[in-house]
Amino acid sequence: QVQLAESGGGLVQAGGSLRLSCAFSGRTFSGTVMGWFRQAPGKEREFVAAIRWSGSSTLYADSVKGRFIISRDDVKNTVYLQMNSLKPEDTAVYFCACDRQAARINVLARQYAYWGQGTQVTVSS
């Protein structure tokens, strides 16, 4: 079983930065992928970024490429999402997710079996 807990959300002005953390417990495999998704009111949950636990391959949505950075800490069992140059359209609930035995990094939410409770990020203009 995998448990995920996000933290670090909040209110920030446009152009500012936030760092989200996702602490997880449970066994990882060579194919484990940790991802970040977000969901704005009235919209579907969308892929933001993901990192493969072994080898650290990453993938980003075009909308955040160059602004967000995903990373991991093996010792702390934590995945981070550093969000820079934030825009009002980044406002959403951000979720951490785990695809425990992935053949590749998936961008579809349904491929991830484990989810955190979400953390709110609000960017004011």
Side-chain angles (χ1 to χ4, degrees):
Q1 189 71 6
V2 173
Q3 292 184 321
L4 308 171
E6 306 95 334
S7 61
L11 173 64
V12 65
Q13 289 188 332
S17 298
L18 279 176
R19 188 177 79 159
L20 305 182
S21 300
C22 173
F24 73 92
S25 61
R27 183 181 175 185
T28 59
F29 299 88
S30 60
T32 294
V33 171
M34 302 297 295
W36 286 98
F37 288 76
R38 66 187 182 187
Q39 188 166 18
K43 295 188 177 181
E44 292 188 355
R45 194 166 297 189
E46 66 172 356
F47 173 79
V48 175
I51 185 168
R52 184 174 288 278
W53 199 253
S54 175
S56 296
S57 297
T58 58
L59 184 67
Y60 295 91
D62 288 344
S63 59
V64 306
K65 201 173 294 183
R67 299 189 297 123
F68 291 10
I69 301 171
I70 189 170
S71 62
R72 60 173 176 80
D73 185 321
D74 291 352
V75 175
K76 295 182 178 180
N77 267 11
T78 300
V79 178
Y80 302 99
L81 186 68
Q82 177 67 42
M83 305 186 295
N84 302 317
S85 302
L86 283 161
K87 305 175 182 180
E89 51 263 43
D90 294 318
T91 295
V93 177
Y94 283 70
F95 297 90
C96 179
C98 176
D99 185 356
R100 200 151 65 154
Q101 291 181 292
R104 60 184 179 87
I105 296 179
N106 290 299
V107 300
L108 296 177
R110 64 173 182 265
Q111 298 292 341
Y112 291 76
Y114 303 96
W115 292 83
Q117 80 285 355
T119 185
Q120 176 70 46
V121 171
T122 302
V123 184
S124 63
S125 57

